[in-house]
Amino acid sequence: MKLYLYDHCPFCVRAEMVAHYKQVPVEQVYLLNDDEASCFALIGAKQVPILQFDDGRAMGESLDIARRLDELGDPARPIRPHGDYLPIQEHMNQVRLAIWCLLFPRDIALDLPEFATAAARDYFQAKKEQIIQRPFSQALAETAEHKAAVEAMLASLPPLPLPSAHGGTLGWDDVLLYPGLRNLSMVRDLAFPPAVRAYVDEVARLTETATYFERAI
């Protein structure tokens, strides 16, 4: 099987988390961000992740893929059912624009495989600048302002479900919450409260997914 994805994409991280945790053998293929043709050929839409089976069939939608990987994976590694994750997600969503302003310009500056060409970077930048309603240069110049908003959010974040408090298992709440927190690790010197950093580190180890702390910008 092949899992088509982008390194920076939180939806892709959902699928990657489950594939690794459930020990499903998949080949991870990183598409260029402007490669619309491959996506349309596989599922008829420009979106990732995409899971392609050995017989050539393919499916999209991150949570559908995650559930399928869960079914295919090691039954001895169960995923805990959903808990009360909505208050945490809603709390994070309050500073969604600040998060986007911090992350979008950094996505194309981190030497990620989906941005290996100037055309891929330009494609992404044009789309995301429309979303945040400012050029990337302005968003970067506003880093201090956006960091302050995100740090205040993190400081008041409701308690996160540490895997170590649940028998070292992964939960479906983690599949939804971790990718967004993981991506914040690309912001240099962003203040993570100890409990939040512990959560990110634990889930990263459990799912064998990479963070950006060591290469933050």
Side-chain angles (χ1 to χ4, degrees), residues 10 23 39 41 44 58 61 82 90 93 101 120 127 144 151 154 156 186 191 204 215:
Q23 299 180 340
C39 295
E61 299 296 341
H82 283 296
E90 290 169 357
N93 288 344
C101 287
K127 287 183 173 293
E151 288 174 344
L154 292 174
S156 57
M186 67 177 63
R215 52 201 290 204

Side-chain angles (χ1 to χ4, degrees), residues 11-189:
F11 301 102
C12 299
V13 176
R14 293 174 177 178
E16 185 183 10
M17 292 170 72
V18 176
H20 294 176
Y21 176 74
K22 297 290 291 196
Q23 299 180 340
V24 182
V26 295
E27 177 187 352
Q28 295 186 189
V29 180
Y30 293 93
L31 296 175
L32 286 170
N33 195 257
D34 61 338
D35 182 359
E36 297 181 350
S38 293
C39 295
F40 274 97
L42 287 163
I43 59 170
K46 169 62 167 74
Q47 65 180 51
V48 286
I50 299 169
L51 181 65
Q52 185 179 33
F53 301 96
D54 292 337
D55 63 5
R57 291 179 300 117
M59 65 182 295
E61 299 296 341
S62 62
L63 290 179
D64 291 343
I65 292 171
R67 293 187 189 99
R68 184 66 180 131
L69 291 168
D70 182 33
E71 294 169 355
L72 294 170
D74 186 352
R77 296 175 67 84
I79 300 180
R80 288 180 282 108
H82 283 296
D84 191 17
Y85 75 93
L86 281 176
I88 302 173
Q89 189 63 65
E90 290 169 357
H91 190 77
M92 294 171 63
N93 288 344
Q94 292 175 3
V95 293
R96 180 181 295 169
L97 178 60
I99 290 173
W100 288 343
C101 287
L102 288 173
L103 298 188
F104 290 167
R106 288 167 171 81
D107 286 329
I108 63 172
L110 280 168
D111 196 27
L112 302 180
E114 60 266 34
F115 301 121
T117 66
R121 295 190 294 274
D122 291 345
Y123 177 94
F124 179 86
Q125 183 167 347
K127 287 183 173 293
K128 299 306 184 183
E129 286 184 340
Q130 290 181 4
I131 292 174
I132 61 175
Q133 291 294 293
R134 68 201 75 194
F136 277 8
S137 58
Q138 179 181 339
L140 286 170
E142 297 167 349
T143 289
E145 170 191 340
H146 300 310
K147 277 180 65 178
V150 173
E151 288 174 344
M153 178 276 291
L154 292 174
S156 57
L157 200 65
L160 293 159
L162 281 169
S164 59
H166 295 86
T169 58
L170 186 71
W172 283 111
D173 290 354
D174 303 319
V175 174
L176 295 174
L177 296 172
Y178 164 79
L181 293 169
R182 169 258 194 186
N183 275 10
L184 288 174
S185 68
M186 67 177 63
V187 184
R188 183 183 298 167
D189 297 327

